[in-house]
Amino acid sequence: MKRVLAADAGQYIGKEILLQGWVHRIRQLGQVSFLLLRDRSGVVQTVVETGGWDIPDDITNEAVIAIRGEVGEDKRAPGGIEVRVKEREALSVISPSLEVSPIEINKKIDLLKTNLETVLAFRPLSLRNPDIRAIFKVQAEIIWAFREFLLKEGFTEIQTPKIVATGTEGGSQLFPVQYFERQAYLAQSPQFYKQIMVGSGFERVFEVGHAYRAEEHNTARHLNEYVSLDLEMGFIESEQDVMRMETGLLKFVFEHLRSTCEAELRLYKAEIPSFKEIPQITLAEAKEILKSQYKKDLGGAKDLDPEGERLICRHISKETGEELVYITAYPTEKRPFYTMPCSDNPELTKSFDLLYKGEEITTGGQRIHEYDRLLKNMKNFGLRADDFEFYLQTFKQGMPPHGGLAIGAERITKQLLNLSNIREASLFPRDRTRISP
RNA sequence: GGGGCGGUAAUUCAGUUGAUAGAAUGCCGGACUGUCGAUCCGGAUGUCGCGGGUUUGAGUCCCGUCCGCCCCGCCA
Protein backbone atom coordinates (compact mmCIF):
# COMPACT_ATOMS: atom_id res chain seq x y z
CA MET A 1 0.00 0.00 0.00
CA LYS A 2 1.34 3.41 -0.96
CA ARG A 3 2.02 5.87 1.81
CA VAL A 4 -0.15 9.00 2.09
CA LEU A 5 1.13 12.12 3.85
CA ALA A 6 -0.76 13.58 6.79
CA ALA A 7 -1.52 16.80 4.93
CA ASP A 8 -3.01 14.89 1.99
CA ALA A 9 -5.29 12.58 4.00
CA GLY A 10 -8.31 14.80 3.27
CA GLN A 11 -8.09 13.83 -0.40
CA TYR A 12 -8.92 10.22 0.47
CA ILE A 13 -12.25 10.49 2.29
CA GLY A 14 -13.96 7.11 2.49
CA LYS A 15 -10.79 5.34 1.38
CA GLU A 16 -8.27 3.31 3.28
CA ILE A 17 -4.76 4.78 3.46
CA LEU A 18 -1.36 4.05 4.95
CA LEU A 19 0.21 6.69 7.17
CA GLN A 20 3.78 6.62 8.48
CA GLY A 21 5.29 8.98 10.97
CA TRP A 22 5.98 9.87 14.57
CA VAL A 23 3.50 9.76 17.44
CA HIS A 24 2.96 13.47 18.06
CA ARG A 25 0.51 13.21 20.95
CA ILE A 26 -1.78 10.63 22.52
CA ARG A 27 -5.07 11.51 24.18
CA GLN A 28 -6.76 8.50 25.72
CA LEU A 29 -10.31 9.00 26.95
CA GLY A 30 -12.57 6.32 28.41
CA GLN A 31 -13.88 4.67 25.28
CA VAL A 32 -12.17 6.65 22.56
CA SER A 33 -8.48 7.25 21.92
CA PHE A 34 -6.82 9.82 19.73
CA LEU A 35 -3.34 9.49 18.36
CA LEU A 36 -1.92 12.46 16.49
CA LEU A 37 0.51 11.31 13.85
CA ARG A 38 3.21 13.66 12.55
CA ASP A 39 5.16 13.39 9.31
CA ARG A 40 7.06 15.87 7.15
CA SER A 41 3.82 17.38 5.89
CA GLY A 42 2.11 18.00 9.20
CA VAL A 43 -0.10 16.30 11.79
CA VAL A 44 -3.26 14.26 11.30
CA GLN A 45 -5.61 12.84 13.92
CA THR A 46 -6.19 9.12 14.08
CA VAL A 47 -8.94 7.69 16.24
CA VAL A 48 -9.96 4.38 17.80
CA GLU A 49 -13.44 3.83 19.29
CA THR A 50 -14.89 1.19 21.60
CA GLY A 51 -14.07 -2.36 20.65
CA GLY A 52 -11.19 -1.27 18.52
CA TRP A 53 -7.51 -1.14 19.13
CA ASP A 54 -6.36 0.02 22.51
CA ILE A 55 -3.11 1.95 22.37
CA PRO A 56 -0.43 -0.41 23.71
CA ASP A 57 2.28 0.60 26.14
CA ASP A 58 5.07 0.73 23.60
CA ILE A 59 3.26 3.34 21.49
CA THR A 60 4.56 6.46 23.21
CA ASN A 61 5.24 9.99 22.05
CA GLU A 62 7.90 10.02 19.31
CA ALA A 63 7.62 6.30 18.56
CA VAL A 64 7.68 5.74 14.80
CA ILE A 65 4.61 3.90 13.57
CA ALA A 66 2.61 2.96 10.50
CA ILE A 67 -1.17 3.19 10.62
CA ARG A 68 -3.66 1.76 8.16
CA GLY A 69 -7.15 3.19 8.39
CA GLU A 70 -10.09 4.76 6.71
CA VAL A 71 -10.26 8.51 6.21
CA GLY A 72 -13.44 10.06 7.56
CA GLU A 73 -14.92 13.50 7.93
CA ASP A 74 -15.88 14.64 11.42
CA LYS A 75 -16.60 18.18 12.46
CA ARG A 76 -15.10 17.46 15.87
CA ALA A 77 -11.70 16.50 14.41
CA PRO A 78 -8.99 19.10 13.84
CA GLY A 79 -9.38 20.24 10.26
CA GLY A 80 -12.54 18.13 10.01
CA ILE A 81 -10.51 15.06 8.96
CA GLU A 82 -9.49 11.97 10.89
CA VAL A 83 -8.30 8.46 10.17
CA ARG A 84 -10.15 5.55 11.79
CA VAL A 85 -7.48 3.05 12.71
CA LYS A 86 -7.73 -0.47 11.31
CA GLU A 87 -4.20 -1.64 11.96
CA ARG A 88 -0.96 -0.26 13.29
CA GLU A 89 2.62 -1.36 13.30
CA ALA A 90 5.43 -0.01 15.43
CA LEU A 91 8.47 0.70 13.26
CA SER A 92 10.60 2.04 16.10
CA VAL A 93 9.65 2.01 19.77
CA ILE A 94 11.33 3.83 22.62
CA SER A 95 12.88 1.92 25.48
CA PRO A 96 11.26 2.94 28.79
CA SER A 97 14.73 2.94 30.33
CA LEU A 98 15.72 5.99 28.25
CA GLU A 99 15.15 9.48 29.58
CA VAL A 100 12.25 11.47 28.18
CA SER A 101 13.03 14.32 25.82
CA PRO A 102 14.03 17.53 27.62
CA ILE A 103 12.30 19.42 24.81
CA GLU A 104 8.54 19.25 24.48
CA ILE A 105 8.28 18.29 20.85
CA ASN A 106 4.51 18.67 20.56
CA LYS A 107 4.21 22.09 22.20
CA LYS A 108 3.29 25.22 20.27
CA ILE A 109 6.08 27.75 20.15
CA ASP A 110 4.36 30.32 22.37
CA LEU A 111 3.80 27.70 25.07
CA LEU A 112 7.28 26.25 24.87
CA LYS A 113 9.00 27.68 27.92
CA THR A 114 12.52 26.58 27.20
CA ASN A 115 15.67 28.70 27.15
CA LEU A 116 17.46 29.04 23.82
CA GLU A 117 20.50 27.48 25.45
CA THR A 118 18.54 24.29 26.18
CA VAL A 119 16.88 24.30 22.77
CA LEU A 120 20.34 24.37 21.16
CA ALA A 121 21.89 21.83 23.51
CA PHE A 122 19.16 19.40 22.43
CA ARG A 123 19.01 20.54 18.80
CA PRO A 124 18.29 17.09 17.30
CA LEU A 125 15.15 16.96 19.44
CA SER A 126 14.10 20.60 19.31
CA LEU A 127 14.16 20.43 15.50
CA ARG A 128 11.38 17.84 15.74
CA ASN A 129 9.10 20.55 17.09
CA PRO A 130 7.12 21.61 14.00
CA ASP A 131 7.07 25.27 15.04
CA ILE A 132 10.84 25.35 15.46
CA ARG A 133 11.35 23.48 12.21
CA ALA A 134 9.15 26.05 10.44
CA ILE A 135 12.01 28.56 10.68
CA PHE A 136 14.09 26.36 8.41
CA LYS A 137 11.30 25.82 5.93
CA VAL A 138 11.18 29.61 5.54
CA GLN A 139 14.96 29.81 5.29
CA ALA A 140 15.03 27.11 2.64
CA GLU A 141 12.44 29.01 0.59
CA ILE A 142 14.43 32.25 0.93
CA ILE A 143 17.49 30.50 -0.47
CA TRP A 144 15.45 28.78 -3.21
CA ALA A 145 14.02 32.14 -4.32
CA PHE A 146 17.48 33.76 -4.21
CA ARG A 147 18.71 31.12 -6.68
CA GLU A 148 15.61 31.20 -8.85
CA PHE A 149 15.65 34.96 -9.29
CA LEU A 150 19.33 35.21 -10.07
CA LEU A 151 19.28 32.33 -12.54
CA LYS A 152 16.51 34.15 -14.39
CA GLU A 153 18.67 37.29 -14.39
CA GLY A 154 21.49 35.46 -16.13
CA PHE A 155 23.65 34.66 -13.10
CA THR A 156 25.66 31.44 -12.79
CA GLU A 157 25.93 29.63 -9.48
CA ILE A 158 29.48 29.01 -8.31
CA GLN A 159 31.25 27.24 -5.45
CA THR A 160 34.45 28.79 -4.21
CA PRO A 161 37.01 27.41 -1.77
CA LYS A 162 36.49 27.79 1.95
CA ILE A 163 40.10 26.95 2.72
CA VAL A 164 42.21 29.90 1.61
CA ALA A 165 45.77 31.14 1.88
CA THR A 166 45.07 34.77 2.74
CA GLY A 167 42.35 36.89 4.24
CA THR A 168 40.36 39.16 1.98
CA GLU A 169 39.36 42.22 3.81
CA GLY A 170 41.32 42.68 6.97
CA GLY A 171 39.43 43.77 10.01
CA SER A 172 37.67 40.50 10.58
CA GLN A 173 39.76 37.87 12.23
CA LEU A 174 40.49 34.63 10.40
CA PHE A 175 40.30 31.08 11.69
CA PRO A 176 43.66 29.41 11.13
CA VAL A 177 43.70 25.92 9.67
CA GLN A 178 46.69 23.63 9.62
CA TYR A 179 46.88 22.66 5.95
CA PHE A 180 49.55 19.98 5.87
CA GLU A 181 52.86 21.84 6.28
CA ARG A 182 51.35 25.29 5.68
CA GLN A 183 49.17 27.75 7.45
CA ALA A 184 45.76 28.28 5.83
CA TYR A 185 42.53 30.00 6.87
CA LEU A 186 38.80 29.55 6.63
CA ALA A 187 37.36 31.98 4.09
CA GLN A 188 35.70 35.02 5.63
CA SER A 189 34.05 35.85 2.30
CA PRO A 190 34.00 34.60 -1.31
CA GLN A 191 34.77 38.17 -2.39
CA PHE A 192 37.95 37.65 -4.42
CA TYR A 193 36.64 34.55 -6.13
CA LYS A 194 33.35 36.20 -7.07
CA GLN A 195 35.26 39.04 -8.73
CA ILE A 196 37.59 36.64 -10.49
CA MET A 197 34.55 34.83 -11.89
CA VAL A 198 33.05 38.08 -13.14
CA GLY A 199 36.34 38.68 -14.96
CA SER A 200 36.46 35.10 -16.17
CA GLY A 201 33.57 35.86 -18.48
CA PHE A 202 30.63 34.63 -16.47
CA GLU A 203 29.88 38.33 -15.82
CA ARG A 204 27.19 37.50 -13.27
CA VAL A 205 27.74 34.95 -10.51
CA PHE A 206 26.23 34.04 -7.18
CA GLU A 207 27.06 31.69 -4.35
CA VAL A 208 25.28 30.24 -1.35
CA GLY A 209 28.02 29.26 1.03
CA HIS A 210 29.46 29.46 4.49
CA ALA A 211 31.58 32.36 5.65
CA TYR A 212 33.76 32.24 8.75
CA ARG A 213 34.56 35.08 11.11
CA ALA A 214 36.85 34.53 14.07
CA GLU A 215 35.59 37.60 15.88
CA GLU A 216 34.95 37.17 19.57
CA HIS A 217 31.53 38.67 19.32
CA ASN A 218 28.80 37.13 21.37
CA THR A 219 25.58 38.83 20.39
CA ALA A 220 22.06 38.05 19.21
CA ARG A 221 23.04 38.93 15.62
CA HIS A 222 26.45 37.32 15.10
CA LEU A 223 27.58 33.81 14.24
CA ASN A 224 31.14 32.65 13.68
CA GLU A 225 29.92 30.51 10.79
CA TYR A 226 27.07 31.84 8.70
CA VAL A 227 25.46 31.32 5.32
CA SER A 228 26.30 34.15 2.95
CA LEU A 229 24.05 34.81 -0.04
CA ASP A 230 26.56 36.44 -2.36
CA LEU A 231 26.28 37.89 -5.81
CA GLU A 232 28.61 39.83 -8.09
CA MET A 233 27.79 41.39 -11.47
CA GLY A 234 29.77 43.00 -14.29
CA PHE A 235 29.04 45.91 -16.60
CA ILE A 236 27.32 48.14 -14.08
CA GLU A 237 27.24 51.90 -14.22
CA SER A 238 27.32 52.37 -10.49
CA GLU A 239 26.37 50.80 -7.17
CA GLN A 240 22.80 51.85 -8.03
CA ASP A 241 22.62 48.93 -10.47
CA VAL A 242 23.54 46.53 -7.65
CA MET A 243 20.92 48.06 -5.37
CA ARG A 244 18.29 47.82 -8.11
CA MET A 245 19.14 44.16 -8.51
CA GLU A 246 18.78 43.59 -4.77
CA THR A 247 15.46 45.43 -4.65
CA GLY A 248 14.11 43.20 -7.43
CA LEU A 249 15.58 40.15 -5.74
CA LEU A 250 13.99 40.90 -2.38
CA LYS A 251 10.61 41.60 -3.99
CA PHE A 252 10.80 38.20 -5.63
CA VAL A 253 11.91 36.45 -2.43
CA PHE A 254 9.14 38.03 -0.36
CA GLU A 255 6.45 37.28 -2.93
CA HIS A 256 7.66 33.70 -3.08
CA LEU A 257 7.35 33.40 0.70
CA ARG A 258 3.86 34.82 0.61
CA SER A 259 2.76 31.89 -1.52
CA THR A 260 4.83 29.08 0.00
CA CYS A 261 5.15 29.87 3.72
CA GLU A 262 1.79 31.28 4.70
CA ALA A 263 1.34 29.09 7.79
CA GLU A 264 4.94 29.52 8.90
CA LEU A 265 4.73 33.30 8.59
CA ARG A 266 1.50 33.39 10.56
CA LEU A 267 3.08 31.28 13.27
CA TYR A 268 5.77 33.91 13.79
CA LYS A 269 3.45 36.87 13.17
CA ALA A 270 5.70 37.86 10.28
CA GLU A 271 4.51 40.53 7.88
CA ILE A 272 5.86 40.39 4.34
CA PRO A 273 7.13 43.85 3.41
CA SER A 274 5.58 45.12 0.21
CA PHE A 275 7.43 47.99 -1.45
CA LYS A 276 7.91 49.52 -4.86
CA GLU A 277 11.24 51.10 -4.08
CA ILE A 278 13.50 50.88 -1.05
CA PRO A 279 14.33 54.36 0.26
CA GLN A 280 17.96 55.51 0.26
CA ILE A 281 19.77 57.88 2.52
CA THR A 282 23.47 58.61 2.86
CA LEU A 283 25.31 57.79 6.05
CA ALA A 284 25.78 61.52 6.63
CA GLU A 285 22.04 62.09 6.30
CA ALA A 286 21.36 59.22 8.67
CA LYS A 287 23.67 60.74 11.26
CA GLU A 288 21.96 64.09 10.79
CA ILE A 289 18.55 62.47 11.40
CA LEU A 290 19.83 60.81 14.56
CA LYS A 291 21.12 64.15 15.81
CA SER A 292 18.07 66.24 14.99
CA GLN A 293 15.28 63.73 15.62
CA TYR A 294 16.70 61.57 18.39
CA LYS A 295 19.38 63.75 19.98
CA LYS A 296 21.93 61.05 19.26
CA ASP A 297 25.25 62.48 18.21
CA LEU A 298 27.57 59.93 16.63
CA GLY A 299 30.25 62.55 16.07
CA GLY A 300 32.95 61.35 13.70
CA ALA A 301 31.77 57.72 13.75
CA LYS A 302 32.25 55.91 10.45
CA ASP A 303 29.13 53.76 10.81
CA LEU A 304 25.85 53.56 12.69
CA ASP A 305 25.80 51.69 15.96
CA PRO A 306 23.06 49.13 16.62
CA GLU A 307 20.87 51.68 18.37
CA GLY A 308 21.39 54.09 15.47
CA GLU A 309 20.30 51.37 13.02
CA ARG A 310 17.13 50.79 15.00
CA LEU A 311 16.33 54.50 15.22
CA ILE A 312 16.92 55.11 11.52
CA CYS A 313 14.57 52.26 10.64
CA ARG A 314 11.98 53.65 13.02
CA HIS A 315 12.32 57.05 11.40
CA ILE A 316 12.09 55.70 7.84
CA SER A 317 9.11 53.59 8.77
CA LYS A 318 7.38 56.65 10.21
CA GLU A 319 8.18 58.80 7.18
CA THR A 320 7.64 56.31 4.36
CA GLY A 321 6.03 53.21 5.86
CA GLU A 322 8.95 51.07 4.64
CA GLU A 323 10.79 48.51 6.75
CA LEU A 324 13.88 48.53 4.55
CA VAL A 325 16.34 51.31 3.88
CA TYR A 326 19.64 51.60 2.01
CA ILE A 327 22.38 53.55 3.73
CA THR A 328 24.87 54.82 1.15
CA ALA A 329 28.16 56.70 0.81
CA TYR A 330 30.21 55.06 3.55
CA PRO A 331 33.63 56.53 4.25
CA THR A 332 36.59 55.00 2.42
CA GLU A 333 38.23 54.33 5.74
CA LYS A 334 35.38 52.06 6.83
CA ARG A 335 35.23 49.93 3.66
CA PRO A 336 37.62 47.30 2.30
CA PHE A 337 40.40 48.32 -0.10
CA TYR A 338 38.56 47.07 -3.22
CA THR A 339 35.61 49.44 -2.71
CA MET A 340 35.14 52.07 -5.43
CA PRO A 341 35.51 55.64 -4.14
CA CYS A 342 32.98 58.26 -5.17
CA SER A 343 34.20 60.22 -8.22
CA ASP A 344 33.35 63.58 -6.67
CA ASN A 345 34.64 62.80 -3.18
CA PRO A 346 37.47 60.30 -2.62
CA GLU A 347 36.68 60.25 1.10
CA LEU A 348 33.42 58.40 0.37
CA THR A 349 32.71 55.12 -1.40
CA LYS A 350 30.11 53.81 -3.82
CA SER A 351 28.93 51.31 -1.26
CA PHE A 352 25.81 50.64 0.74
CA ASP A 353 24.27 48.70 3.59
CA LEU A 354 20.69 47.51 3.69
CA LEU A 355 18.87 47.77 7.00
CA TYR A 356 15.76 45.69 7.63
CA LYS A 357 13.67 46.29 10.74
CA GLY A 358 16.60 47.87 12.56
CA GLU A 359 19.36 45.48 11.60
CA GLU A 360 21.91 45.28 8.81
CA ILE A 361 21.27 42.38 6.45
CA THR A 362 23.42 43.37 3.46
CA THR A 363 26.64 45.10 2.56
CA GLY A 364 27.43 45.81 -1.06
CA GLY A 365 28.84 48.26 -3.54
CA GLN A 366 30.79 48.93 -6.66
CA ARG A 367 34.33 47.53 -6.72
CA ILE A 368 37.47 49.03 -8.14
CA HIS A 369 38.13 47.52 -11.59
CA GLU A 370 41.27 49.42 -12.66
CA TYR A 371 44.51 47.60 -11.85
CA ASP A 372 46.58 50.68 -10.98
CA ARG A 373 44.00 52.08 -8.66
CA LEU A 374 43.48 48.75 -6.93
CA LEU A 375 47.20 48.31 -6.41
CA LYS A 376 47.52 51.80 -5.00
CA ASN A 377 44.61 51.30 -2.67
CA MET A 378 46.02 48.00 -1.46
CA LYS A 379 49.21 49.79 -0.44
CA ASN A 380 47.19 52.51 1.27
CA PHE A 381 45.57 49.79 3.35
CA GLY A 382 48.96 48.33 4.26
CA LEU A 383 48.48 45.13 2.26
CA ARG A 384 51.21 43.41 0.25
CA ALA A 385 50.41 42.93 -3.43
CA ASP A 386 52.46 39.71 -3.41
CA ASP A 387 49.90 38.11 -1.14
CA PHE A 388 47.12 38.77 -3.65
CA GLU A 389 48.89 37.90 -6.88
CA PHE A 390 46.16 35.47 -8.01
CA TYR A 391 43.50 38.12 -7.42
CA LEU A 392 45.39 40.80 -9.29
CA GLN A 393 45.82 38.64 -12.40
CA THR A 394 42.19 39.36 -13.22
CA PHE A 395 42.69 43.10 -13.11
CA LYS A 396 45.82 43.11 -15.27
CA GLN A 397 43.81 41.73 -18.18
CA GLY A 398 40.74 43.90 -18.53
CA MET A 399 38.03 43.89 -15.92
CA PRO A 400 34.55 45.35 -16.47
CA PRO A 401 33.09 47.82 -14.01
CA HIS A 402 31.36 45.60 -11.49
CA GLY A 403 29.87 45.30 -8.05
CA GLY A 404 28.01 42.97 -5.77
CA LEU A 405 26.67 42.28 -2.35
CA ALA A 406 26.14 39.71 0.35
CA ILE A 407 22.99 38.97 2.33
CA GLY A 408 23.27 37.12 5.64
CA ALA A 409 20.84 34.20 5.32
CA GLU A 410 20.33 33.82 9.05
CA ARG A 411 20.03 37.60 9.44
CA ILE A 412 17.24 37.99 6.91
CA THR A 413 15.46 34.94 8.37
CA LYS A 414 15.74 36.37 11.87
CA GLN A 415 14.45 39.79 10.86
CA LEU A 416 11.58 38.45 8.81
CA LEU A 417 10.37 36.07 11.53
CA ASN A 418 10.97 38.51 14.39
CA LEU A 419 13.35 36.10 16.11
CA SER A 420 15.17 37.54 19.06
CA ASN A 421 18.42 35.65 18.49
CA ILE A 422 20.21 34.73 15.27
CA ARG A 423 21.09 31.32 16.71
CA GLU A 424 17.42 30.39 16.31
CA ALA A 425 17.85 30.82 12.56
CA SER A 426 20.85 28.50 12.34
CA LEU A 427 20.38 24.72 12.43
CA PHE A 428 23.59 24.12 14.33
CA PRO A 429 24.98 27.52 15.23
CA ARG A 430 28.68 28.12 15.74
CA ASP A 431 29.28 30.86 18.26
CA ARG A 432 31.97 31.92 20.69
CA THR A 433 31.52 28.81 22.86
CA ARG A 434 29.49 26.38 20.76
CA ILE A 435 30.94 23.89 18.29
CA SER A 436 28.53 21.10 19.12
CA PRO A 437 26.03 19.78 18.18
C1' G B 1 38.33 43.01 24.29
C1' G B 2 34.82 45.83 28.13
C1' G B 3 30.51 45.48 31.48
C1' G B 4 26.37 42.85 34.00
C1' C B 5 23.98 38.38 35.82
C1' G B 6 23.21 33.38 37.00
C1' G B 7 23.87 27.81 38.44
C1' U B 8 17.75 24.31 42.94
C1' A B 9 13.50 18.03 39.69
C1' A B 10 13.53 16.13 32.79
C1' U B 11 11.99 21.59 31.54
C1' U B 12 10.74 26.72 33.26
C1' C B 13 11.20 28.82 37.81
C1' A B 14 10.06 30.13 43.39
C1' G B 15 12.54 29.41 47.93
C1' U B 16 11.30 34.99 53.45
C1' U B 17 15.45 36.40 59.41
C1' G B 18 19.82 30.14 58.58
C1' A B 19 15.44 25.16 60.90
C1' U B 20 11.82 18.40 57.18
C1' A B 21 13.16 20.76 49.28
C1' G B 22 8.48 23.66 46.53
C1' A B 23 5.11 25.08 42.07
C1' A B 24 3.83 24.67 36.99
C1' U B 25 4.74 21.83 32.72
C1' G B 26 6.46 16.99 31.40
C1' C B 27 6.59 11.72 32.99
C1' C B 28 4.00 7.17 35.38
C1' G B 29 -0.86 4.99 37.20
C1' G B 30 -6.33 5.49 37.50
C1' A B 31 -11.35 7.69 35.83
C1' C B 32 -14.00 9.63 31.57
C1' U B 33 -17.34 8.19 24.16
C1' G B 34 -14.89 13.60 21.00
C1' U B 35 -10.07 15.20 22.74
C1' C B 36 -7.66 19.35 20.15
C1' G B 37 -2.74 23.66 25.78
C1' A B 38 -8.50 18.13 27.44
C1' U B 39 -10.34 17.63 32.48
C1' C B 40 -10.43 15.16 37.31
C1' C B 41 -7.85 11.88 41.09
C1' G B 42 -3.25 9.73 42.69
C1' G B 43 2.23 8.99 42.24
C1' A B 44 7.55 9.05 41.27
C1' U B 45 11.73 12.12 40.33
C1' G B 46 16.87 16.48 43.62
C1' U B 47 25.09 15.41 44.60
C1' C B 48 20.43 22.79 45.62
C1' G B 49 27.37 23.40 39.94
C1' C B 50 31.99 21.73 42.74
C1' G B 51 35.48 22.17 47.11
C1' G B 52 36.33 24.15 51.79
C1' G B 53 34.78 27.20 56.09
C1' U B 54 31.35 29.50 60.01
C1' U B 55 27.20 27.30 62.83
C1' U B 56 23.63 22.88 67.15
C1' G B 57 21.86 23.39 62.04
C1' A B 58 23.59 26.09 55.32
C1' G B 59 19.91 26.02 48.97
C1' U B 60 20.35 30.53 52.17
C1' C B 61 26.27 33.41 55.32
C1' C B 62 31.95 33.53 54.08
C1' C B 63 36.27 32.01 50.88
C1' G B 64 37.91 29.54 46.63
C1' U B 65 36.86 27.25 42.03
C1' C B 66 34.36 25.57 37.59
C1' C B 67 30.63 26.31 34.09
C1' G B 68 27.08 29.09 31.62
C1' C B 69 24.05 33.26 30.04
C1' C B 70 22.99 38.45 28.78
C1' C B 71 24.53 43.49 27.09
C1' C B 72 28.24 46.59 24.39
C1' G B 73 32.07 46.88 20.56
C1' C B 74 33.01 44.56 15.60
C1' C B 75 30.06 42.74 11.18
C1' A B 76 26.30 39.63 7.17
Side-chain angles (χ1 to χ4, degrees), chain A residues 155-432:
Chain A
F155 284 74
T156 301
E157 181 163 8
I158 58 171
Q159 285 80 36
T160 65
K162 300 305 158 210
I163 301 174
V164 297
T166 51
T168 52
E169 318 194 6
S172 314
Q173 295 297 305
L174 295 161
F175 283 112
V177 173
Q178 188 61 43
Y179 195 74
F180 304 113
E181 67 281 0
R182 298 167 59 192
Q183 177 81 94
Y185 304 93
L186 293 179
Q188 64 188 170
S189 156
Q191 186 58 36
F192 290 173
Y193 294 100
K194 285 196 297 183
Q195 291 184 261
I196 288 168
M197 294 310 291
V198 167
S200 79
F202 275 124
E203 296 184 15
R204 296 181 161 197
V205 296
F206 72 92
E207 177 165 10
V208 177
H210 281 112
Y212 300 88
R213 303 280 164 98
E215 288 157 3
E216 298 209 19
H217 40 46
N218 193 10
T219 76
R221 63 184 186 284
H222 287 96
L223 294 167
N224 293 293
E225 177 185 58
Y226 69 93
V227 175
S228 185
L229 307 176
D230 267 273
L231 69 85
E232 199 75 19
M233 54 197 280
F235 299 100
I236 61 171
E237 291 210 353
S238 74
E239 76 281 14
Q240 290 296 330
D241 288 334
V242 180
M243 290 155 80
R244 256 192 297 280
M245 184 64 74
E246 179 165 28
T247 301
L249 167 66
L250 290 176
K251 263 187 217 171
F252 182 84
V253 169
F254 287 136
E255 283 312 311
H256 176 72
L257 295 179
R258 202 192 292 282
S259 59
T260 55
C261 296
E262 200 200 335
E264 289 78 7
L265 294 170
R266 201 169 341 108
L267 198 55
Y268 284 91
K269 299 175 178 64
E271 300 276 347
I272 295 277
S274 57
F275 51 86
K276 266 198 140 85
E277 291 302 324
I278 296 174
Q280 289 185 29
I281 55 172
T282 64
L283 178 64
E285 287 166 349
K287 286 168 69 176
E288 199 48 51
I289 289 167
L290 290 177
K291 200 147 85 178
S292 63
Q293 305 285 313
Y294 299 98
K295 298 188 168 49
K296 183 180 171 70
D297 191 352
L298 286 173
K302 302 288 187 287
D303 199 354
L304 302 174
D305 61 8
E307 189 196 17
E309 293 181 347
R310 285 191 291 272
L311 292 174
I312 287 298
C313 280
R314 189 188 301 172
H315 176 80
I316 293 291
S317 169
K318 210 166 62 188
E319 297 288 308
T320 69
E322 303 295 352
E323 292 183 303
L324 293 136
V325 55
Y326 287 115
I327 311 292
T328 62
Y330 279 84
T332 311
E333 208 180 313
K334 180 66 193 173
R335 293 305 208 193
F337 72 90
Y338 51 76
T339 310
M340 182 69 91
C342 291
S343 32
D344 54 350
N345 183 353
E347 299 291 299
L348 299 176
T349 59
K350 301 176 77 143
S351 69
F352 63 91
D353 276 5
L354 178 62
L355 306 185
Y356 175 29
K357 291 201 268 195
E359 207 165 286
E360 179 185 334
I361 61 166
T362 287
T363 293
Q366 182 171 353
R367 327 297 190 188
I368 296 171
H369 58 279
E370 308 99 328
Y371 174 76
D372 291 343
R373 193 173 198 173
L374 192 60
L375 198 63
K376 199 176 140 213
N377 225 25
M378 230 176 214
K379 283 176 186 153
N380 288 345
F381 275 73
L383 299 168
R384 293 174 1 139
D386 288 355
D387 293 337
F388 300 94
E389 199 276 332
F390 78 98
Y391 175 60
L392 290 170
Q393 283 173 23
T394 294
F395 297 87
K396 289 178 182 169
Q397 298 295 330
M399 183 68 168
H402 67 284
L405 58 83
I407 304 173
E410 296 89 349
R411 282 256 177 110
I412 190 172
T413 308
K414 166 181 184 279
Q415 291 308 92
L416 173 68
L417 296 182
N418 307 313
L419 305 178
S420 55
N421 195 307
I422 196 165
R423 292 167 179 85
E424 295 177 64
S426 176
L427 283 172
F428 301 102
R430 294 294 177 257
D431 62 26
R432 181 66 187 82

Side-chain angles (χ1 to χ4, degrees), chain A residues 30 46 68 89 93 137 198 214 267 282 299 344:
Chain A
T46 70
R68 200 166 55 75
E89 182 192 355
V93 297
K137 156 78 172 167
V198 167
L267 198 55
T282 64
D344 54 350

Side-chain angles (χ1 to χ4, degrees), chain A residues 91-108:
Chain A
L91 303 176
S92 175
V93 297
I94 297 159
S95 164
S97 65
L98 298 176
E99 67 272 24
V100 298
S101 170
I103 306 288
E104 292 182 55
I105 291 164
N106 54 21
K107 267 271 201 306
K108 300 299 286 178

